[in-house]
Amino acid sequence: MTENAQQQPTAPSTELPTQYAPADVEGPLYESWVERGYFGADAKSDKPAYTIVIPPPNVTGSLHLGHAFQHTLMDALTRRKRMQGFESLWLPGMDHAGIATQNKVEQQLAEEGKSRQDLGREAFVERVWQWKEEYGGRILGQMRRLGDGVDWDRERFTMDEGLSKAVQTIFKKLYEDELIYRAERIINWCPRCLTAISDIEVEYQEDDGELVSIRYGEGEETLVVATTRAETMLGDTAVAVHPDDERYRHLVGKHIKLPLTDRTIPVVADTHVDPEFGTGAVKVTPAHDPNDFAIGQRHGLESITVMDERAVITVHGPFAGLDRFEARSTIVAALRSQGRIVAEKRPYVHSVGHCSRCGTTVEPRLSMQWWVKVGPLAKAAGDAVRDGRVRIHPEDMSKRYFDWVDNMHDWCISRQLWWGHRIPVWYGPEGEVVCVGPDEEPPGTEAEGWKQDTDVLDTWFSSGLWPFSTLGWPEQTADLRKFYPTDVLLTGHDIIFFWVARMMMFGLYAMDGEVPFKTIALTGLVRDERGKKMSKSFGNVVDPLDWMDKYGSDAVRFTLARGANPGTDVPIGEDWVQASRNFANKIWNATRFALMNGATVQGPLPDASEMSATDRWILSRLNKTVAEVDAFYDDFQFAKLSDALYHFAWDEVFDWYVELSKTTFQAGGRGAEVSRRVLGEVLDVTLKLLHPVVPFVTDTLWTTLTGGESVVIAGWPADSGFRDEAAEREIESLQSVITEVRRFRADQGLQPGQRVPARLTLDGTALAPHEAAIRQLLRLQPEGDAFAATATLPVAGATVALDLSGTIDVAAERKRLAKDLAAAEKEKAQATAKLGNEAFLAKAPDNVVDKIRTRLAKADEDIARIQAQLDRLPQA
């Protein structure tokens, strides 16, 4: 069925500690994998390539459950492909995280009473590099704790020399192709971070504000406009109305007085205005609103900036120097005193944008910035999915992708920071603009009047190059030829806009139409056990390292994988991790039992003719599980494959086959020899199937069982095609007998180990060869001379007669069950009466009615169960 390893196994050990201690195993085992080079990928190999690049975590970050979730799935994919014979590369790295990292160092400087301006740009950047070396990248060590099988020799950083060269190269290429340009437009500005941020870095939330209606103009030439941002009126350069609005047609083209200023502004007609909304007239502030900017462009309006970079008012004496929020209330008060406030609404709940990095309210601001013209790039990114070159999984996530790439606005890529890739453009003394590539010299010196642009590039610009820049582009390296395009991008659906679309655009552009990855596998987000978003403010954030310390990394990984349904969020609670720890212990104990009883992988499997039905059953189920797991992997159904492995390993192998084998082992002879080899085979394959998700415990057990070097480099199991439906039916019948009798024993209050005389009638059924196993598993002793059947159970064509006269007081048991039956019937009567009362149903809330229906269903179940127990008891 499968090769035991890629190397010649040594004699296996039968020694395992009585208990599995993850803390003693995981760290040393992981380092041994790395030292042996298991995770290294060879670009010169003749094996087919399989490549995944890790979504680069921020250099400021630490491992959270979201990382642990996605890393577990990526590791499972690459470990399986490695076992399947692929040259499997999982490439790690980190993102320089411009704003986040700069903020960290600025906070550090503030504690010293300094600012970045005190240091100057060059010294500040050097300080950030020092911080990165000292504090950055702790997540990399935490990835080792989780068991990430990444190629550490290929670790990359978005600001290392090679990636910086890639950034400069693609910037110049885009610039020369007129896909990068500089223009003054409205951008999202963070007054705290003091930089532009992109649309997708703005988080909207419902805030309490105010809506004030202000009368502009004098006499008959007046208009009323409503605004939530009264402070921006100082920059108004028009009032706009719809061209078909009869109310204001007489004012179009005229100038009216702008309150609190000595200016007059025109009334313009523009189809952007909705005449049905509010008064049908809107104030136009081109320098502080994107829609107003567009109106201003159409009508040739002046743009007046009224705030500085910190959102402090800079114009009109009485208000100059006020913060925007102070100015808002002061200006409203001034307008009120002049009788220009027509209406006020407080609180007025509306959607307000906040900086995703620091939470500050974002300010739309007119600013000169660098932009990517995304039209042709976004079209190519959409076409690659539409024509099937790239598959999005699950498919229903494609709509979100198309909604974004088909409606993408030009991308503002410049940031007013010091940490990051500096824009490679120089400005000359005569207004010259020169873009400089990575191998080119600047056009002149500062002494000669040349200055480099002070801005840096958006972090997503460099991470958008990640699939090919990490493989050596723009050089045509062996890595690039072997491992590009990558196979799978596995990431959360929440960063389709941030990262996935950027990589698609840049990959297709830089690599001459070759896609950056063949499949985009989108996951959900990790939530708490109640499905609630994890947040520090909710107090439900979990550090996965705490759970790893307590339960082991395998337990955390298995819990995350079992919740991983494509594209849907993943609830997780500590109880589930504890259950996964129990599963790891179950694997350990079952393998230990097998080793103690001589289970072996040595030699070929015996012929099926020598095997018992139990042996043939488990091998048939094993092969079906192999096929099932392969199909689930290929469809990224991690939850289903984990669940299939859990139930096969725990229920079928450990709870049934191992238990049924005990009888065979006790009997000895050739049958025991065959079962030992079958058990060895089943464990060998099961451990391999489990390994990609739970790598530590499986490698420890597999090497002990087989004597092989490591399951990391063992061959992936193949479905041999062996099926035995007759054996499966036979063992299903056996399971039915054992399950039914166990249930009856429990109903009668018998202890699990309590032995009961029994007569088994198995002749003429497929169960005849299993009498010894049935008696052993059910604690049924021979019937004896004084046997008197007090309960008879017909199951699966067989009959099990039990003599309970010496084990239970039948009269007392009947009395107890009769009391329970009466209580259940009373409960049913009460519930039925309420549900039959029309007046009650008309008044009761739905949740109350549902509870009563649930009580009725439970009462019916109890009555049926108790009556069945009474029927089985002998007459007292």
Side-chain angles (χ1 to χ4, degrees), residues 223-235:
L223 288 164
V224 174
V225 300
T227 181
T228 58
R229 305 180 68 230
E231 69 279 8
T232 64
M233 68 164 291
L234 302 176

Side-chain angles (χ1 to χ4, degrees), residues 449-464:
W450 287 87
K451 290 186 177 179
Q452 186 179 358
D453 196 300
T454 56
D455 289 350
V456 300
L457 287 162
D458 178 9
T459 294
W460 297 102
F461 189 95
S462 52
S463 60

